[in-house]
Amino acid sequence: MASDAESPEDRKPQSDEARSAFTPPLGMPYPPLPEDEHPTSEFTVPEGMRTEAPVEPEGSAFAPPGSSTNGSGNGSATGTHQLPTTPAGWPAFTPPHGIPAISLTKDVPWQDRMRTMLRMPVTERPAPERIERADESGPAVPRVLDLTLRIGEILLAGGEGAEDVEAAMFGVAHAYGLERVEPTVTFTLLSISYQPSLVDDPVTASRTVRRRGVDYTRLSAVFRLVDDITSDGITLEEAYRGLAEIRRNRHPFPSWALTVASGLLSGAASMLVGGGLTVFVAAAIGSMLGDRLAWLASGRGLPEFYQFVAAAMPPAAMGVALSMAHTGVQASAVITGGLFALIPGRALVAGVQDGLTGYYITAAARLLEVGYLIVGIVIGVLGVLYIGVQLSAHTLNPEEALGTYDEPVVQIVASLLLALAFCVLLQQERHTVLFATFNGGVAWVAYGVLVQAHVNPVVGTTIAAGLVGLFGQLLSRYRYASALPYVTAAIGPLLPGSATYFALLNFAQGNLNEGISSLIKAVSLALAIAVGVNLGGEVARLFIRAPAGEDATNRRAAKRTRGF
């Protein structure tokens, strides 16, 4: 029987540990542990010793922009402890304070911000920062997608590059709260897909671009509208009203002004290669007749191919007629001036730019369009030259060297007039005409200096076109506008009109080898212009501050095209 002094703990069943041989008997105190004994592990680093730093992982070409391969600066540190990181430099697990959000500042043009986001994976794109108003329950997905496609249609029809069209479409959709959107641009088809979440059905809309028109005033207005949407956060209704006003606006120059500009362009081009006042007038008349004939063919619904055939015939006929009349007028300068107004330099630059940025389908379609238009020019000019050769075989001389003409003052003035006429033909805004004209004069001066220094014409053309692209890109960023108005007109003096003419003349006279040589030279000069313009634009972006505070060296490339 238990005594009354026994405590409740004593009445509890004894555990196995209490009956161990190493357990002191009941009533005996536990002996104190020695001060110098502490439970240690054989894996514990002794005091005074430091662990070796882990081996730095090898850098990866697929690391996201701004990441560091040594794991420093991305983890969360407590004291001297560093969070484990992945080889790309990102934390291996989410730190307590969360992963810092990517902030795209709005003090840079929307093209750079949206291009940066387009080149990110969907999972890394920052969420929209648009503040929802009290009267808005959420984004109207069908209307946002429709507005996005309409804006992309105007940009693509105006000749803008595929990457900038995608950037504009993504910026509009992102500004109105659509996070998971993927725009797609081809030469004639625009599409955009929005998926609210991984478990919801995607919503896809598309639009076909059937008509193309050259109006850089409308193009600049759309750029300003996209900037208002992405930076100022205007409402959907305000964006629709702004787009409707852009569509209703008339072209800044009437059709008769375009015809006069076409004649001024051809006359200036003929003076650029050595023509005088008589050649200027003859080239201008021939080009204006060709322009009116092309307008007539367009009004009859003929495709653009036949319009170029019709537009190429009057300048060639004017040159052949002057040659047969033995007036002493340089017929080659007249025909060359007419070709300057017809060579599709705008489409060529856009096609090469799309190819260099990874949009190969659109680039192939644009270059195929350029090929068809050039074939139309060849048919129109070659047919007239063949008739002229048959009637008067000795008046058209393919050995007339236009490149020997050396009058710097006349040529600089002619290059400025040529760029000015191109600005009118492209329907540019009046405040951009002066800059584009000056850019064209700079291009010709650079080309002339290089040619006088005995630099290869292809190399000289590339460098001059690079300056055009560089200044055009800087001017567009300063104006928060498209670079096309500052670039397209400025490359006019560099177009290979004379090389194209001599190639066609040699073909008409049966000199295939000389004709192929001149044709290869013309193609090389055209590609040099396109590559130079794109290279100048990329060089300009190296000096532009990248969004989110990143260095220009960490800017993600457009496409991974290194063959693996």
Side-chain angles (χ1 to χ4, degrees):
M1 181 175 180
S3 62
D4 297 336
E6 190 176 14
S7 62
E9 287 78 7
D10 297 336
R11 292 195 296 270
K12 290 182 180 180
Q14 300 295 323
S15 63
D16 293 339
E17 185 181 0
R19 290 189 290 271
S20 173
F22 301 97
T23 304
L26 293 175
M28 298 294 293
Y30 283 86
L33 294 174
E35 295 182 359
D36 57 346
E37 289 188 11
H38 296 283
T40 59
S41 171
E42 61 181 349
F43 301 103
T44 304
V45 180
E47 294 183 2
M49 300 293 292
R50 299 179 63 182
T51 59
E52 296 182 1
V55 180
E56 295 184 0
E58 184 180 357
S60 172
F62 305 99
S67 62
S68 175
T69 56
N70 56 9
S72 62
N74 291 326
S76 174
T78 304
T80 59
H81 179 65
Q82 186 80 16
L83 287 176
T85 57
T86 61
W90 298 97
F93 53 86
T94 304
H97 54 77
I99 297 177
I102 301 175
S103 177
L104 296 178
T105 58
K106 293 184 179 181
D107 53 349
V108 294
W110 64 264
Q111 303 99 299
D112 292 335
R113 288 185 280 125
M114 294 304 114
R115 188 183 293 109
T116 300
M117 295 182 65
L118 270 179
R119 296 176 183 180
M120 292 181 181
V122 178
T123 56
E124 297 179 13
R125 292 174 182 170
E129 301 175 3
R130 182 172 179 265
I131 300 176
E132 296 292 344
R133 294 174 174 82
D135 57 345
E136 294 182 359
S137 58
V141 176
R143 298 197 68 197
V144 172
L145 297 184
D146 177 71
L147 176 67
T148 302
L149 290 173
R150 290 178 183 273
I151 290 177
E153 179 188 12
I154 296 178
L155 294 176
L156 186 62
E160 192 62 63
E163 186 178 25
D164 285 333
V165 176
E166 280 194 3
M169 294 174 62
F170 180 82
V172 173
H174 192 270
Y176 288 113
L178 304 187
E179 299 182 28
R180 304 173 62 90
V181 292
E182 287 295 338
T184 304
V185 175
T186 60
F187 186 56
T188 57
L189 182 65
L190 299 170
S191 65
I192 185 169
S193 178
Y194 168 64
Q195 188 174 14
S197 66
L198 294 176
V199 296
D200 293 328
D201 295 332
V203 180
T204 303
S206 61
R207 194 173 184 90
T208 302
V209 180
R210 303 186 185 278
R211 294 179 59 87
R212 286 179 173 79
V214 181
D215 189 345
Y216 283 178
T217 298
R218 181 175 296 180
L219 191 70
S220 301
V222 174
F223 263 69
R224 288 192 294 269
L225 176 62
V226 175
D227 183 64
D228 292 339
I229 293 173
T230 56
S231 301
D232 300 336
I234 63 176
T235 64
L236 194 62
E237 296 299 330
E238 292 172 344
Y240 262 108
R241 283 197 296 269
L243 185 63
E245 291 178 0
I246 293 173
R247 287 182 173 274
R248 283 195 300 266
N249 288 341
R250 294 182 176 273
H251 300 301
F253 301 104
S255 59
W256 65 265
L258 300 183
T259 302
V260 174
S262 177
L264 178 63
L265 190 155
S266 296
S270 65
M271 294 179 62
L272 197 65
V273 293
L277 180 60
T278 306
V279 173
F280 179 93
V281 174
I285 293 175
S287 183
M288 287 190 290
L289 291 176
D291 183 76
R292 286 291 90 189
L293 194 59
W295 277 100
L296 180 61
S298 175
R300 296 293 181 178
L302 293 178
E304 195 173 16
F305 174 84
Y306 299 105
Q307 297 176 27
F308 269 77
V309 174
M313 295 176 67
M318 183 68 68
V320 171
L322 292 175
S323 177
M324 293 176 60
H326 301 283
T327 57
V329 176
Q330 195 175 10
S332 57
V334 176
I335 301 175
T336 299
L339 290 175
F340 266 84
L342 297 176
I343 296 176
R346 174 180 58 90
L348 177 64
V349 171
V352 174
Q353 178 182 357
D354 289 341
L356 293 177
T357 53
Y359 294 84
Y360 301 115
I361 297 178
T362 307
R366 288 187 189 272
L367 293 178
L368 184 61
E369 179 192 34
V370 171
Y372 271 110
L373 298 182
I374 290 178
V375 169
I377 298 172
V378 168
I379 292 176
V381 176
L382 194 58
V384 175
L385 289 180
Y386 182 78
I387 296 175
V389 169
Q390 296 300 319
L391 296 178
S392 180
H394 300 288
T395 56
L396 294 173
N397 184 10
E399 297 180 358
E400 292 177 344
L402 300 179
T404 57
Y405 181 69
D406 185 16
E407 290 291 339
V409 177
V410 176
Q411 289 178 310
I412 291 175
V413 173
S415 65
L416 293 175
L417 289 177
L418 194 152
L420 176 63
F422 254 123
C423 291
V424 176
L425 288 175
L426 295 173
Q427 300 279 6
Q428 293 188 193
E429 292 179 308
R430 288 179 172 82
H431 67 83
T432 65
V433 171
L434 179 61
F435 295 101
T437 303
F438 177 75
N439 205 10
V442 170
W444 180 257
V445 169
Y447 174 78
V449 170
L450 293 172
V451 170
Q452 290 296 326
H454 304 288
V455 177
N456 186 278
V458 176
V459 178
T461 301
T462 304
I463 296 175
L467 291 177
V468 170
L470 174 64
F471 293 144
Q473 197 67 234
L474 293 177
L475 286 171
S476 68
R477 290 304 185 266
Y478 174 73
R479 296 278 184 173
Y480 277 51
S482 172
L484 288 180
Y486 302 101
V487 170
T488 306
I491 64 174
L494 303 176
L495 293 176
S498 59
T500 305
Y501 162 71
F502 286 126
L504 300 181
L505 182 57
N506 279 293
F507 286 146
Q509 294 181 341
N511 303 322
L512 297 182
N513 293 332
E514 292 80 359
I516 292 175
S517 177
S518 297
L519 185 61
I520 292 175
K521 180 181 178 181
V523 172
S524 301
L525 292 174
L527 293 178
I529 293 172
V531 174
V533 168
N534 182 265
L535 182 61
E538 293 299 327
V539 170
R541 292 191 181 102
L542 294 178
F543 300 98
I544 297 174
R545 185 170 62 86
E550 297 176 312
D551 295 332
T553 55
N554 292 330
R555 186 188 298 271
R556 189 186 294 269
K559 298 286 183 181
R560 180 175 61 85
T561 56
R562 287 187 286 175
F564 54 84

